[in-house]
């Protein structure tokens, strides 16, 4: 995603909820350079700790980081079809948030209509309304794709447009969850170049989780 809430009093105006026209992801993909269009394999430990800390309101976390796994259901190997990491970009032409980077990359891969895909995201921020609308449209179009989103923090959780965006995802079958300790540990072990170091939780990780979980439950009820 692009610029995020930087703390109380920040001059950042939330975007209104808008749905994208069909085919938007394809045109974006053609304009993106490879560094943005293609996923990274890992992130470094400092990047993870700084961006995935689950304090509900934080300063300086300007971009969303998105770790993903794609699995094919009923695959005997049980192994992911693909994994990777996207960082949201504020490109002058595309303003490609991490969610849109993933969709443009995913659309460029030939998806078999005869296979069912399980996509799992671990994100540092929940989607903005515009991205939520585009993801919801993608899910409505591709009924063989099931999406689960684990998010470290809720973006503008008090704003009705952002709440509507999360509900639109839920209505299209996406599962939206708050990341807990085990989810952060999983990300650390699978998406961070940790040099064998174990995940070290930050202070307040469980308290923050409970607060955000209550907020999300209230939004989606």
């Amino acid at each position: 995603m692009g610029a995020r809430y930087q703390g109380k009093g920040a001059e950042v105006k939330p975007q209104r909820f808008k749905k994208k026209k069909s085919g938007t992801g394809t045109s974006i993909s053609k304009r993106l350079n490879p560094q943005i269009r293609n996923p990274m394999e890992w992130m470094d430990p400092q990047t993870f700790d700084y961006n995935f800390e689950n304090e509900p309101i934080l300063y300086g976390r300007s971009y969303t980081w998105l770790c993903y796994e794609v699995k094919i259901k009923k695959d005997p190997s049980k192994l992911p079809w693909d994994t990777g990491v996207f960082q949201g970009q504020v490109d002058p032409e595309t303003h490609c948030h991490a969610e849109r980077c993933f969709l443009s990359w995913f659309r460029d891969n030939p998806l078999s209509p005869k296979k069912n895909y399980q996509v799992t995201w671990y994100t540092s921020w929940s989607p903005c309304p515009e991205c939520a609308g585009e993801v919801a449209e993608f899910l409505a179009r591709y009924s063989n794709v099931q999406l689960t989103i684990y998010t470290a923090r809720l973006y503008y959780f008090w704003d009705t447009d952002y709440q509507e965006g999360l509900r639109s995802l839920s209505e299209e079958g996406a599962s939206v969850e708050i990341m807990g300790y085990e989810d952060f540990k999983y990300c650390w072990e699978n998406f961070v170049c940790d040099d064998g170091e174990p995940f070290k939780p930050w202070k307040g990780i469980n308290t923050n989780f409970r607060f955000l979980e209550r907020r999300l439950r209230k939004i989606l009820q």
Side-chain angles (χ1 to χ4, degrees):
M1 288 189 180
R4 294 296 190 177
Y5 181 71
Q6 303 293 301
K8 294 182 179 178
E11 296 295 326
V12 181
K13 184 178 180 181
Q15 297 175 326
R16 303 297 294 176
F17 180 75
K18 296 179 181 178
K19 287 195 172 183
K20 287 288 182 181
K21 294 181 180 180
S22 299
T24 300
T26 302
S27 60
I28 289 173
S29 177
K30 291 178 179 179
R31 299 201 308 271
L32 292 178
N33 63 52
Q35 289 81 4
I36 297 175
R37 183 177 64 246
N38 297 324
M40 297 175 283
E41 187 174 356
W42 307 98
M43 70 175 79
D44 63 72
Q46 293 77 20
T47 297
F48 177 81
D49 285 339
Y50 183 73
N51 287 279
F52 276 82
E53 182 182 356
N54 66 341
E55 183 73 29
I57 297 176
L58 287 172
Y59 291 88
R61 278 64 169 179
S62 300
Y63 306 101
T64 286
W65 287 79
L66 185 156
C67 307
Y68 72 86
E69 283 185 341
V70 180
K71 294 183 177 181
I72 298 175
K73 292 185 177 181
K74 297 184 178 179
D75 182 351
S77 72
K78 306 294 183 182
L79 297 174
W81 177 67
D82 202 285
T83 66
V85 179
F86 281 105
Q87 178 189 4
Q89 305 288 331
V90 187
D91 182 270
E93 295 184 2
T94 63
H95 295 281
C96 195
H97 295 177
E99 299 89 343
R100 298 180 73 191
C101 288
F102 175 87
L103 290 182
S104 66
W105 167 82
F106 196 48
R107 289 187 181 106
D108 283 348
N109 287 276
L111 302 181
S112 170
K114 297 181 179 180
K115 294 181 179 179
N116 294 315
Y117 298 88
Q118 173 63 56
V119 178
T120 304
W121 289 354
Y122 300 90
T123 65
S124 57
W125 286 107
S126 61
C128 70
E130 188 175 40
C131 286
E134 187 169 337
V135 173
E137 285 195 351
F138 174 85
L139 294 174
R141 180 178 180 183
Y142 294 94
S143 59
N144 61 328
V145 177
Q146 183 178 348
L147 174 64
T148 300
I149 302 173
Y150 294 97
T151 185
R153 298 182 300 274
L154 295 173
Y155 187 28
Y156 279 107
F157 56 80
W158 57 87
D159 186 280
T160 55
D161 290 319
Y162 289 71
Q163 295 173 4
E164 181 185 345
L166 292 174
R167 285 192 290 270
S168 73
L169 290 170
S170 181
E171 289 166 1
E172 290 299 339
S175 175
V176 184
E177 308 285 346
I178 299 298
M179 290 180 69
Y181 171 82
E182 291 297 330
D183 304 309
F184 290 114
K185 182 173 180 287
Y186 184 83
C187 273
W188 176 270
E189 294 173 349
N190 291 276
F191 299 103
V192 177
C193 189
D194 59 16
D195 292 326
E197 291 293 322
F199 172 62
K200 298 177 182 178
W202 46 83
K203 184 179 180 180
I205 187 172
N206 291 324
T207 301
N208 295 335
F209 165 75
R210 289 191 291 270
F211 171 83
L212 291 166
E213 188 180 44
R214 288 195 300 270
R215 287 286 183 172
L216 180 60
R217 189 162 55 242
K218 185 175 181 180
I219 290 170
L220 298 180
Q221 68 183 8

